[in-house]
Amino acid sequence: MTHSITDHLGRRVNIPAVPKRIISICPAITETLFALGMENEIVGRTKYCIFPKGIVDEVLVVGGTKEVNVETIRNLQADLILAEKEENTEEIVLALEKIAPVFVLEVQKIEESYRLIETLGLLTNRQQAASRLITSCKASFPVRADKQNLNAAYVIWRKPYMVVGGTTYINDVLHTLGFQNPFETGESRYPTVTKEELAAAKLDVLLLASEPFPFQEKHIAEFQSFLPNTKIVLVDGEMFWNGAKMLEAGPYLEKLKKEL
């Protein structure tokens, strides 16, 4: 038995009433499925789906988020594939929907992260578990700052430097912490910036993420050389993931907010 449901991109998808074999090609979705008690139904994941630690290792890897092994996925005989607009490409979705129903989720704001949890609960018949998780995440997460008083950029890559843009979950988290992102107005989700552009932004704070590029202590001096008046801080990039990670991230972000 199947039913038709609209995904976050407005696509009608026919999915099983009770999915039994699920492939997730987005790390936040995978972690959230485990949080909802779906460990027995998850048959495939990406190599970047590393949470929950240890437990997720039991699930077969089907590739990465931008490139998957179609034959491996076909052989798993999934009855539902879960993707996310930012993490996965349109080409992957088009290829995989020939194999099984593909439901695409999208998260660009904190509220949409709660929507992701709610939707996954709906798709997997775990509505009560999803509701409990959302309540716990909201209780854990920092209260949104009244004003964005400090200029801050969040750097995700080196050579070239890339920062977080406006239409991202991380940008909404920055606002919650009281930061204004000077690079949020462009069209790019993750704009490339120069040293000169970073200096011209008059940044109060520069956040160097631990992933996808692994910024470390040695990189602070590199940025400080052209940002002498900016406070430069290393942050755990995983604490800026959405979905079930919000529960763990809440105390970390609250502490970061107070420190900065």
Side-chain angles (χ1 to χ4, degrees), residues 138-250:
K138 287 183 175 180
S140 166
F141 221 66
V143 175
R144 193 177 188 88
D146 293 331
K147 296 179 181 178
Q148 285 71 49
N149 293 322
L150 298 175
N151 251 6
Y154 184 104
V155 189
I156 64 164
W157 202 254
R158 180 175 180 266
K159 293 186 178 181
Y161 295 136
M162 293 177 70
V163 297
V164 161
T167 56
T168 61
Y169 168 80
I170 295 175
N171 188 63
D172 204 25
V173 173
L174 293 180
H175 285 179
T176 293
L177 299 179
F179 298 135
Q180 184 63 43
N181 177 8
F183 302 107
E184 70 180 14
T185 55
E187 291 183 9
S188 175
R189 293 171 66 82
Y190 297 101
T192 298
V193 294
T194 63
K195 292 181 181 180
E196 292 74 19
E197 286 171 325
L198 284 167
K202 299 188 179 348
L203 296 168
D204 297 297
V205 177
L206 186 76
L207 303 176
L208 301 181
S210 61
E211 60 90 38
F213 181 87
F215 284 106
Q216 300 167 29
E217 199 76 35
K218 64 183 180 182
H219 296 110
I220 292 179
E222 174 185 328
F223 285 91
Q224 207 78 77
S225 66
F226 59 90
L227 297 172
N229 301 316
T230 300
K231 183 177 179 65
I232 301 174
V233 181
L234 296 172
V235 294
D236 184 347
E238 292 170 355
M239 294 296 104
F240 289 80
W241 287 16
N242 57 64
K245 183 62 73 188
M246 295 176 77
L247 188 60
E248 180 186 351

Side-chain angles (χ1 to χ4, degrees), residues 1-7 11-19 79-80 101 103 119-125 127:
M1 180 179 175
T2 64
H3 60 276
S4 179
I5 187 168
T6 303
D7 73 3
R11 300 160 59 251
R12 295 297 294 180
V13 184
N14 290 316
I15 70 163
V18 185
D79 55 15
L80 178 61
F103 190 100
T119 300
L120 291 178
L122 176 66
L123 295 176
T124 60
N125 296 292
Q127 289 96 327

Side-chain angles (χ1 to χ4, degrees), residues 37-51:
M38 296 298 293
E39 59 274 3
N40 294 327
E41 287 79 12
I42 305 169
V43 297
R45 64 176 172 103
T46 76
K47 61 185 177 182
Y48 303 112
C49 298
I50 57 174
F51 297 110

Side-chain angles (χ1 to χ4, degrees), residues 4-67:
S4 179
I5 187 168
T6 303
D7 73 3
H8 292 175
L9 303 188
R11 300 160 59 251
R12 295 297 294 180
V13 184
N14 290 316
I15 70 163
V18 185
K20 294 296 186 184
R21 298 182 63 80
I22 300 173
I23 294 174
S24 166
I25 54 174
C26 167
I29 291 174
T30 302
E31 183 177 14
T32 303
L33 288 173
F34 273 95
L36 298 180
M38 296 298 293
E39 59 274 3
N40 294 327
E41 287 79 12
I42 305 169
V43 297
R45 64 176 172 103
T46 76
K47 61 185 177 182
Y48 303 112
C49 298
I50 57 174
F51 297 110
K53 289 283 189 187
I55 301 172
V56 77
D57 297 344
E58 304 285 323
V59 181
L60 185 70
V61 171
V62 299
T65 52
K66 308 301 183 190
E67 187 174 345

